Amino acid sequence: MRNITIIGAGHAGLQLGIGLLGQGHSVTIISNRTADEIAQGKITSSQSMYNLAVSQEREQGLLFWDDTCPSLEGMHVRAGNADAGVMLDFKTRMPAGQSVDQRLKMPRWMNEFEGRGGKLLIQDVDLETVERLADQSDLLLVATGKGELGKLFERDTARCQFDAPQRITALTYVHGMKQREDFGAVNINVNPGIGEFVHFPGLTHTGPCDIINIESIIGGPMDRWDGVKTPEQHLALTLELIREFFPWEAPRFSNVRLTDDNGVLFGGVTPTVRKPVGTLPSGRPVLGIGDIHVLNDPMTGQGSNNASKGATMLLQAIAERGERPFDRVWMQQVAESNWDSAQWSARLTNTMLTPPNHVLNILGACQGSSQLAQKLAAGFNDPRTMANWYFDEQGANQMIEACSESMAEA
Ligand SMILES: Cc1cc2nc3c(=O)[nH]c(=O)nc-3n(C[C@H](O)[C@H](O)[C@H](O)COP(=O)(O)OP(=O)(O)OC[C@H]3O[C@@H](n4cnc5c(N)ncnc54)[C@H](O)[C@@H]3O)c2cc1C
């Protein structure tokens, strides 16, 4: 049995912490917010989770919402503008995923963690405390997301594509949206050069809801968020932008209302990769996980999926380590394994923020090939499957050709 401490009770910290209890370790998680504060606080994410990640949570016995949360069973992509209308339109099925409000999920998991024998402490951990915790633990993990302790981990310049936010992201949780008749979908709408509008069904305190994510290109015509002060203004601007820039979607939103006053959020994320092995003033190494390691723009919905996949990978690595020390070399190896997977989610997200021509060609070709559309959706679920074809022109052309050939044969 090892003595393991995790700072941060978010997706990465809790999923890992609960899993480690199952391996018989003594686990402490330290959170700067109580379960009640999280439950009653503002929304933190849109947390669309795809099949691979939710299946891992289900295997860990952590998916408590299968009966109540609407399924995400497909993807519908449209691109256009107000003048021309929809110019690109395709949809495809995908294995089921779901989005459970983190205000529901994290408090439930905190409860579960304590129920399975974990020790949960409430404290805003500072640097001095990190040293003490490192001294007392066989392994100290930092899972504080966008919190201040991220400064312990150096930015990995070679792996970062951007040094500033590329979008203003505005999230809104609503009731009253007109539902699709075919399947619960991740709806992705692109207005080229202006921004994106992504929405999908989810589950919140007040039951099933729809989660809207408007991504405004900074300085562009949708970047009107500065003057927004109240939840009502936030909803009003969201609907105004939908009507103005994504009019084909507007009729479904004519009767929506906020789920609650805390169901709104806006801000910008600088997509960042950090070196996840930090060094404390004493020289001790600490391992950063989840958003600490790879922080993506929310557009493609990869962060919670990465947190979940990373926790699953780390559980196995810790089990295999047995009684040997969790030293710096081990941490580096684990971090590289995480990057082997998470880098593809970062690359997928970054190509959607600034799409190169070959990606535009792929999206165009998806319209005529259901096989290609399925491959794209499968890539959101597991971006590693895109490694050989999505990221360069030659691979993209070959895949487009292969998928159109198979269509011709069918
Ligand atoms: C607007 C938005 C929309 C998103 N939509 C999606 C999506 O649709 N799909 C998807 O997969 N991902 C999405 N994400 C990303 C996803 O929410 C994150 O990647 C994921 O929550 C990261 O998990 P984490 O455990 O690393 O960090 P977090 O979930 O941020 O958890 C960190 C925890 O640490 C605590 N903490 C911080 N500092 C301290 C401290 N000093 N001491 C103690 N505790 C501390 C925090 O309070 C928090 O509870 C979105 C993100 C944003 C911002």
Side-chain angles (χ1 to χ4, degrees):
M1 183 185 80
R2 315 299 290 273
N3 185 10
I4 299 173
T5 305
I6 302 170
I7 311 172
H11 199 127
L14 281 166
Q15 188 176 340
L16 178 63
I18 296 170
L20 289 170
L21 292 172
Q23 292 181 7
H25 300 296
S26 165
V27 187
T28 303
I29 295 184
I30 310 177
S31 170
N32 60 358
R33 294 180 301 160
T34 65
D36 274 354
E37 283 167 349
I38 294 172
Q40 285 157 26
K42 259 182 130 59
I43 51 170
T44 46
S45 181
S46 50
Q47 71 273 311
S48 60
M49 299 210 44
Y50 308 114
N51 185 265
L52 179 58
V54 292
S55 300
Q56 292 169 344
E57 290 176 17
R58 197 172 285 117
E59 270 170 34
Q60 259 187 267
L62 288 178
L63 219 51
F64 303 109
W65 302 273
D66 274 341
D67 294 338
T68 45
C69 185
S71 278
L72 305 177
E73 293 175 351
M75 183 175 275
H76 190 173
V77 178
R78 277 174 282 188
N81 60 40
D83 294 333
V86 175
M87 295 179 285
L88 172 88
D89 189 343
F90 64 89
K91 58 184 175 180
T92 182
R93 293 279 191 157
M94 61 201 283
Q98 58 181 240
S99 168
V100 177
D101 187 345
Q102 290 187 339
R103 296 178 301 172
L104 285 181
K105 196 168 192 173
M106 299 311 139
R108 177 69 182 83
W109 280 5
M110 286 162 101
N111 198 13
E112 190 68 18
F113 174 71
E114 288 190 289
R116 294 190 193 185
K119 188 167 163 194
L120 181 68
L121 303 177
I122 304 301
Q123 185 185 350
D124 192 26
V125 176
D126 57 18
L127 201 53
E128 211 174 297
T129 314
V130 180
E131 277 287 9
R132 185 170 50 74
L133 294 169
D135 192 36
Q136 293 167 355
S137 315
D138 295 317
L139 174 63
L140 177 65
L141 298 148
V142 182
T144 50
K146 291 174 279 301
E148 283 292 295
L149 289 184
K151 289 182 182 152
L152 277 169
F153 304 91
E154 191 189 335
R155 188 181 144 82
D156 191 337
T157 325
R159 290 176 174 176
C160 290
Q161 188 176 333
F162 304 107
D163 55 12
Q166 299 300 299
R167 299 286 189 275
I168 295 295
T169 301
L171 279 191
T172 317
Y173 282 30
V174 296
H175 289 307
M177 205 189 96
K178 190 169 182 299
Q179 295 301 311
R180 300 174 65 96
E181 283 170 11
D182 45 5
F183 50 82
V186 178
N187 300 272
I188 301 175
N189 297 277
V190 182
N191 188 324
I194 309 276
E196 298 80 22
F197 162 39
V198 180
H199 66 94
F200 42 83
L203 182 72
T204 185
H205 292 307
T206 45
C209 66
D210 284 279
I211 296 174
I212 301 170
N213 179 0
I214 302 245
E215 294 245 325
S216 309
I217 290 184
I218 292 177
M222 291 209 302
D223 183 0
R224 299 178 193 164
W225 294 93
D226 276 355
V228 170
K229 301 284 180 261
T230 66
E232 292 75 22
Q233 288 170 348
H234 181 107
L235 177 63
L237 179 55
T238 298
L239 298 177
E240 177 184 310
L241 295 177
I242 294 171
R243 283 192 297 269
E244 198 171 327
F245 295 102
F246 307 95
W248 55 91
E249 285 271 33
R252 296 177 62 199
F253 290 83
S254 54
N255 278 318
V256 299
R257 63 186 190 283
L258 290 176
T259 57
D260 61 290
D261 278 353
N262 280 328
V264 294
L265 181 76
F266 80 93
V269 172
T270 302
T272 303
V273 182
R274 292 193 187 85
K275 295 182 179 171
V277 182
T279 304
L280 298 177
S282 63
R284 287 191 187 89
V286 276
L287 181 61
I289 61 172
D291 273 2
I292 289 275
H293 188 182
V294 181
L295 177 65
N296 286 317
D297 182 279
M299 190 203 300
T300 53
Q302 293 294 321
S304 296
N305 289 276
N306 277 344
S308 180
K309 292 169 189 170
T312 305
M313 183 275 296
L314 201 46
L315 275 174
Q316 195 182 336
I318 290 172
E320 286 168 0
R321 193 67 180 161
E323 290 304 313
R324 285 170 291 163
F326 299 112
D327 53 21
R328 186 182 294 273
V329 173
W330 177 82
M331 287 184 189
Q332 296 283 13
Q333 283 166 353
V334 168
E336 278 310 296
S337 297
N338 189 50
W339 176 245
D340 281 348
S341 168
Q343 65 171 297
W344 303 109
S345 73
R347 294 181 67 173
L348 166 64
T349 308
N350 295 345
T351 59
M352 295 303 274
L353 289 169
T354 49
N357 278 338
H358 74 266
V359 166
L360 298 176
N361 292 343
I362 291 170
L363 296 176
C366 281
Q367 195 164 234
S369 166
S370 57
Q371 194 191 358
L372 189 60
Q374 260 175 24
K375 285 194 183 295
L376 183 78
F380 274 65
N381 181 34
D382 185 354
R384 291 173 303 180
T385 63
M386 301 173 124
N388 294 330
W389 65 275
Y390 183 81
F391 299 102
D392 67 87
E393 194 175 343
Q394 195 187 353
N397 287 343
Q398 282 169 357
M399 182 58 85
I400 291 170
E401 205 179 313
C403 288
S404 47
E405 271 172 16
S406 71
M407 215 179 80
E409 283 162 16

